[in-house]
Amino acid sequence: MREKIRVIAIVVTALIEALLLLACATHDVWLSTKSPGDMYTVTISREKSRNIFPLSGRVVRFDLFKNGNPLAVDRELTTFNLEDAGFEGRYSSHDWVSESALKFNARSADLRDDQDFLVISNHTTESIKYLVIDALDLFLVIDIQPRSFLEFRVPRYRWQSWISVAGEFSNGKAIQSKGVNFLHRDESSGSLRYCIALENEGLIINSPSVEGWTFDQPIIAKAPECKK
């Protein structure tokens, strides 16, 4: 009986892997890139309508592989409204800033020479499979371990910055998309700091440099500091 269960488990696992690979193969791949140490491969699909209604905008999706095995398939990377220039219009190039962090460099007309800091902290006991972070530059950050933190340099929006985050834990639980505005009014001569913290209570985005706001929360108080 145990042997029969084991055989069934092997067959089911093989079928799931085959279906995942088939799903990846059917994508219209626009870009494929490997991390410096060849551990991760990311494939980016061409832009498609978000649904059957063309006026709903466009979406770019990605597949993520680790050591050749599917880690995340057909996940949303970014979206565009009809009036937007599209992925290639928004981002000029891409590069891996580490073995587990892929960055798409913005070509926005609002880009400034000022460089700010983005601090990402995982205060949970679960590893994070990936985060998609829009901070003018677009980041895909992979395999963030429990009780760890990362720091990246990011360009600054004029007048008001925007930080948004979405992703998935390694156990498959979604990290629901969340975004926060930061009205700095071009008043700071130094670098600003933005904090992204994954807590047991949920995702927190704030800054020790400037207050944030959303339509649901008009004032998000300054953080004492980004928790590491």
Side-chain angles (χ1 to χ4, degrees):
M1 183 66 179
R2 288 183 178 177
E3 182 65 22
K4 183 181 290 186
I5 292 173
R6 191 177 72 86
V7 170
I8 292 172
I10 291 173
V11 171
V12 170
T13 301
L15 285 172
I16 291 172
E17 290 183 352
L19 288 171
L20 287 172
L21 289 171
L22 179 61
C24 297
T26 57
H27 290 181
D28 186 5
V29 175
W30 167 72
L31 172 70
S32 179
T33 178
K34 286 182 177 289
S35 61
D38 290 339
M39 179 178 290
Y40 301 102
T41 301
V42 176
T43 61
I44 310 295
S45 69
R46 294 188 183 278
E47 296 173 28
K48 297 180 180 179
S49 295
R50 298 181 72 172
N51 52 45
I52 61 173
F53 303 104
L55 295 179
S56 64
R58 294 161 291 158
V59 62
V60 172
R61 309 186 75 85
F62 72 93
D63 299 322
L64 172 61
F65 302 85
K66 183 177 182 180
N67 295 321
N69 300 310
L71 190 62
V73 175
D74 197 29
R75 300 304 199 269
E76 184 176 295
L77 182 64
T78 189
T79 59
F80 302 91
N81 296 322
L82 289 181
E83 66 270 17
D84 291 333
F87 195 86
E88 292 180 82
R90 184 180 292 179
Y91 304 106
S92 59
S93 60
H94 69 276
D95 55 83
W96 290 84
V97 294
S98 72
E99 180 63 20
S100 58
L102 174 61
K103 180 179 71 164
F104 296 90
N105 302 294
R107 63 163 99 235
S108 170
D110 289 337
L111 193 62
R112 297 169 49 122
D113 292 331
D114 308 66
Q115 290 286 303
D116 296 330
F117 290 94
L118 187 66
V119 179
I120 306 162
S121 305
N122 180 8
H123 298 142
T124 75
T125 56
E126 292 286 342
S127 60
I128 297 169
K129 187 182 297 183
Y130 72 86
L131 289 178
V132 175
I133 303 169
D134 188 343
L136 194 54
D137 286 346
L138 184 68
F139 291 83
L140 176 60
V141 187
I142 309 161
D143 273 348
I144 306 173
Q145 297 305 303
R147 313 299 182 188
S148 67
F149 76 94
L150 304 164
E151 187 171 298
F152 300 108
R153 301 206 69 159
V154 295
R156 185 182 304 173
Y157 285 92
R158 292 188 184 277
W159 195 252
Q160 177 169 265
S161 294
W162 164 257
I163 307 292
S164 70
V165 183
E168 186 177 320
F169 285 102
S170 291
N171 62 9
K173 181 180 178 181
I175 299 169
Q176 297 299 329
S177 177
K178 181 178 182 179
V180 176
N181 299 283
F182 295 94
L183 185 60
H184 54 74
R185 296 186 176 89
D186 292 337
E187 293 175 349
S188 176
S189 58
S191 294
L192 306 176
R193 295 177 69 81
Y194 302 104
C195 319
I196 297 171
L198 278 299
E199 307 281 357
N200 292 325
E201 299 78 16
L203 170 63
I204 298 173
I205 305 173
N206 55 22
S207 169
S209 307
V210 61
E211 290 181 343
W213 70 274
T214 67
F215 288 110
D216 295 330
Q217 192 173 356
I219 297 177
I220 298 174
K222 289 183 183 180
E225 188 46 79
C226 294
K227 291 170 60 178
K228 297 182 179 180

